Amino acid sequence: MTPASHLLQQEIPLTWYLLLSAALFSLGVIGFLIKRNLITVFMSIELMLNAVNLSFVTFAHQWHMVKGQIFVFFVMMVAAAEAAVGLAIIIAVFRARTTLAVDRIDLMKL
Amino acid sequence: MNSVPDIYRILPEVILTLTGVLVMLVDASLPPGLPRRSLGWVAATGTAVAYLASIWQLSLPVGTGFYATVETSPFTVFFHALICGIVLVALLLSLDSLPEDSHHQGEYYALVVFGAVGMCLLTAAIELLVVFIALEISSIATYVLAGYRKETARGPEAAIKYFLLGSFATAFLLYGVALIFGATGTTQIYDIANLAPSAQNHSLVLAALALMLVGILFKVSAVPFHVWTPDVYEGAPSPVVALMSTAPKAAAFALLLRVVYEMFPTLHSVWAPLLSIVAVLSMTVGNLAALRQQNVKRMLAYSSIAHAGYLLAAFAGMGNAGIAAASFYVAAYAAMNVGIFAVVTVVSGYDENLPMIQDFRGLIYRSPLLGGLLIFFLASLVGIPFTGGFFGKFYSFSAAVGGGAVWLAIIGLLNSGLAAAYYLRLAFAAAQRPSDETGLTRSYEPRAGVAVIAALLFAVAATLILGIVPGDVLHAAQTGAHTLQPPPPTATEVIGIATTQPRVP
């Protein structure tokens, strides 16, 4: 047995998936906080949702329950609905202000 | 043991959905030029029927439906009735204040009703998947409503801020759901309550609780998750603010009660101090920031943050007392906050010609009724006796004292004093003699129709009833609290069968 095929037969521990999911979620949070373009900020939120989806699938595998995977379908569906509304709002913002820079959408201040 | 048809368990939601669909379809089939104001009456009628249906649900035995995903109990009925009432008043308010030639009026009414579906479902859901869907139904509808004045510069800005921060919060809540699913292998709230204490990975449960709290506290705009509130309230039309400062918050507080008292009762020692700290922060930051506001709606936004703090103080209370006090406060807060935003809508109008506090100068001389109502609702927000705000605060702080958090009640009382300063500023402005150059004399033409009068009447009546004879509502809140607390352990085994229990008298 070659080392390569041996590696292939080993299953990746579930913890790794969870760590990846946590890392993606954190990247989404960081992106949300530091990015300065509305579209990018919105993409960061989508990244967070997909990180959660990865967690759901991992846990569904761990518990041998299909419930987690069903949850993922609903999350994807809701994310699509959210994207439709979100992009519409972004277009409305662009029409009103001709910019998508977060720093310049500041008519209302503390 | 007669089982109740599942459909009865979500009857108010079904009625609201049908109303929304009807409004949307009629709106689409009417020729473009025709006025769509009558659709608002259709929506209001549907909401009133949904209100009656939720009261009727009291006659159902307490139990679950649709494979233990939704529940009817006095707790859900309490919040259903409250949310339907708020939505009804907001619809009546919109009927007279939306401009006659307003584009997309039909969509507006449909969205309000669809939002109500989500909020009602959120209070009934006992399965986290349904919780998530319901939360999104209500959120997406309110995102759109926040930006309804899209021709102005502030409308879309309010919508985008609300949308981005709301979705951000939802992602946190969802991550919490994923982790609790990982820890217990289920997303049914009763099952989680049974399994979470014995979960192998306790830190996963704690992380799930923390993430879910972040998500929900965003929705109720508690400090430090409040930054979106003033901007969104300022940019959104006033009738929408009357709705979204109360109804989604009521639903979110119902969810918070469910999560902490029903799902994680064993972690009381973890979440109670956390929520107390958030309560203190919300009160103090909200009140201090409100002091320096000149814009009425921004001031009221910070006031609503402070009120979220007073409400969270009730969560320091033990079990039933805390739940009942929080439920009562939600009702009292909703009545007076809808009322004051109704007055603001009538005075400053849909286009908000008069957004500042000094613009309200001399209101009581121009229109004694409106000025009087403004001062009445401000008095309730301060917490003066014989108004709903007084008993709300009283029960909330009593619950905190009962839970051993005397310091929390003291900070709450100090904050109430601080809050009086800015409420009275607006009241004094309204009572001052108008000078010629104030905005009020320049352009003052309130549009007061039957619907607005009815809306104001409902709000005043609710605030007065909660302040003079709070017994019935408090009793309803306490009955609800009893049904919320102990999760029936049988829900796991009889999954798929509507569990029926004797109704709590």
Side-chain angles (χ1 to χ4, degrees), chain B residues 333-411:
Chain B
Y333 164 77
M336 58 198 182
N337 221 47
V338 168
I340 192 132
F341 275 110
V343 175
V344 169
T345 309
V346 178
V347 174
S348 63
Y350 175 79
D351 297 321
E352 275 162 43
N353 306 317
L354 309 167
M356 296 301 171
I357 290 179
Q358 63 264 28
D359 290 336
F360 278 63
R361 268 185 70 180
L363 176 64
I364 204 157
Y365 295 96
R366 305 288 308 186
S367 161
L369 182 67
L370 275 177
L373 284 176
L374 182 77
I375 291 169
F376 169 72
F377 287 122
L378 285 172
S380 181
L381 285 166
V382 174
I384 287 172
F386 305 115
T387 56
F390 170 73
F391 277 108
K393 281 205 181 84
F394 176 73
Y395 292 133
S396 179
F397 296 155
S398 312
V401 171
V406 181
W407 58 276
L408 190 56
I410 291 172
I411 293 177

Side-chain angles (χ1 to χ4, degrees), chain A residues 22 32 38 42 45 48 55-56 59 63 65 67-68 71 74 78 82 85-86 90 93 97 105 107-110, chain B residues 127 129 133 136 140 153 156-157 160 163-164 168 171 175 177-178 181-187 231 234 298 302:
Chain A
F32 181 89
L38 281 182
F42 181 54
I45 294 173
M48 289 163 73
S55 282
F56 268 119
F59 286 129
W63 289 97
M65 280 176 83
K67 206 170 187 177
F71 219 117
F74 277 96
V78 167
E82 227 175 44
V85 169
I90 289 175
V93 170
R97 310 291 285 279
I105 302 175
L107 270 186
M108 299 175 285
K109 268 275 169 75
L110 289 172
Chain B
E127 154 72 49
L129 180 58
I133 301 283
E136 282 300 294
I140 289 177
E157 182 176 332
I160 194 74
F163 169 75
L164 287 178
F168 188 60
Y175 202 25
V177 174
F181 173 65
T184 61
T186 177
T187 49
D231 290 356
E234 191 188 338
R298 285 187 85 81
Y302 280 110

Side-chain angles (χ1 to χ4, degrees), chain B residues 88-144:
Chain B
L88 181 59
V89 173
L91 278 171
L92 289 173
L93 191 58
S94 315
L95 266 169
D96 274 349
S97 46
L98 288 192
E100 205 62 60
D101 55 342
S102 162
H103 46 273
H104 316 306
Q105 238 192 60
E107 286 167 29
Y108 175 94
Y109 297 123
L111 279 171
V112 171
V113 175
F114 284 137
V117 175
M119 296 163 207
C120 285
L121 192 59
L122 188 58
T123 65
I126 50 165
E127 154 72 49
L128 291 174
L129 180 58
V130 182
V131 165
F132 170 65
I133 301 283
L135 189 69
E136 282 300 294
I137 295 174
S138 108
S139 298
I140 289 177
T142 33
Y143 298 151
V144 182

Side-chain angles (χ1 to χ4, degrees), chain A residues 28 37-48 50, chain B residues 164:
Chain A
N37 181 291
L38 281 182
I39 302 270
T40 327
V41 171
F42 181 54
M43 280 162 62
S44 304
I45 294 173
E46 295 288 312
L47 182 62
M48 289 163 73
N50 283 319
Chain B
L164 287 178

Side-chain angles (χ1 to χ4, degrees), chain B residues 47-410:
Chain B
T47 314
V49 175
Y51 176 86
L52 295 176
S54 34
I55 300 288
W56 171 79
Q57 280 186 323
L58 264 183
S59 64
L60 296 179
V62 174
T64 60
F66 289 106
Y67 304 94
T69 55
V70 288
E71 181 193 56
T72 32
S73 67
F75 176 79
T76 67
V77 170
F78 182 88
F79 278 97
H80 271 70
L82 178 62
I83 290 165
C84 289
I86 296 169
V87 172
L88 181 59
V89 173
L91 278 171
L92 289 173
L93 191 58
S94 315
L95 266 169
D96 274 349
S97 46
L98 288 192
E100 205 62 60
D101 55 342
S102 162
H103 46 273
H104 316 306
Q105 238 192 60
E107 286 167 29
Y108 175 94
Y109 297 123
L111 279 171
V112 171
V113 175
F114 284 137
V117 175
M119 296 163 207
C120 285
L121 192 59
L122 188 58
T123 65
I126 50 165
E127 154 72 49
L128 291 174
L129 180 58
V130 182
V131 165
F132 170 65
I133 301 283
L135 189 69
E136 282 300 294
I137 295 174
S138 108
S139 298
I140 289 177
T142 33
Y143 298 151
V144 182
L145 286 174
Y148 184 66
R149 286 185 302 178
K150 67 174 178 174
E151 65 286 348
T152 65
R154 286 171 188 218
E157 182 176 332
I160 194 74
K161 283 179 173 166
Y162 194 27
F163 169 75
L164 287 178
L165 288 165
S167 320
F168 188 60
T170 309
F172 276 93
L173 181 84
L174 200 62
Y175 202 25
V177 174
L179 292 188
I180 197 69
F181 173 65
T184 61
T186 177
T187 49
Q188 213 272 348
I189 288 180
Y190 294 159
D191 295 347
I192 292 172
N194 291 327
L195 293 170
S198 57
Q200 285 179 346
N201 197 339
H202 194 61
S203 51
L204 212 55
V205 177
L206 288 179
L209 172 65
L211 286 166
M212 291 180 82
L213 283 185
V214 170
I216 301 170
L217 289 176
F218 248 111
K219 297 282 172 192
V220 301
S221 69
V223 177
F225 312 112
H226 67 288
V227 278
W228 56 273
T229 322
D231 290 356
V232 174
Y233 287 12
E234 191 188 338
S238 303
V240 173
V241 181
L243 175 77
M244 75 183 188
S245 66
T246 50
K249 275 194 194 175
F253 270 115
L255 173 64
L256 185 59
L257 284 169
R258 226 181 244 294
V259 165
V260 296
Y261 281 105
E262 197 169 58
M263 200 154 95
F264 297 116
T266 48
L267 294 176
H268 186 274
S269 56
V270 178
W271 53 256
L274 264 178
L275 289 179
S276 298
I277 293 167
V278 173
V280 170
L281 282 175
S282 302
M283 290 180 215
T284 317
V285 174
N287 282 330
L288 286 178
L291 278 174
R292 47 188 283 265
Q293 298 305 320
Q294 295 302 321
N295 183 303
V296 174
K297 276 164 83 188
R298 285 187 85 81
M299 189 196 87
L300 290 174
Y302 280 110
S303 123
S304 84
I305 295 169
H307 278 276
Y310 303 138
L311 213 163
L312 285 170
F315 284 75
M318 305 301 286
N320 288 337
I323 302 169
S327 310
F328 186 89
Y329 201 106
V330 173
Y333 164 77
M336 58 198 182
N337 221 47
V338 168
I340 192 132
F341 275 110
V343 175
V344 169
T345 309
V346 178
V347 174
S348 63
Y350 175 79
D351 297 321
E352 275 162 43
N353 306 317
L354 309 167
M356 296 301 171
I357 290 179
Q358 63 264 28
D359 290 336
F360 278 63
R361 268 185 70 180
L363 176 64
I364 204 157
Y365 295 96
R366 305 288 308 186
S367 161
L369 182 67
L370 275 177
L373 284 176
L374 182 77
I375 291 169
F376 169 72
F377 287 122
L378 285 172
S380 181
L381 285 166
V382 174
I384 287 172
F386 305 115
T387 56
F390 170 73
F391 277 108
K393 281 205 181 84
F394 176 73
Y395 292 133
S396 179
F397 296 155
S398 312
V401 171
V406 181
W407 58 276
L408 190 56
I410 291 172

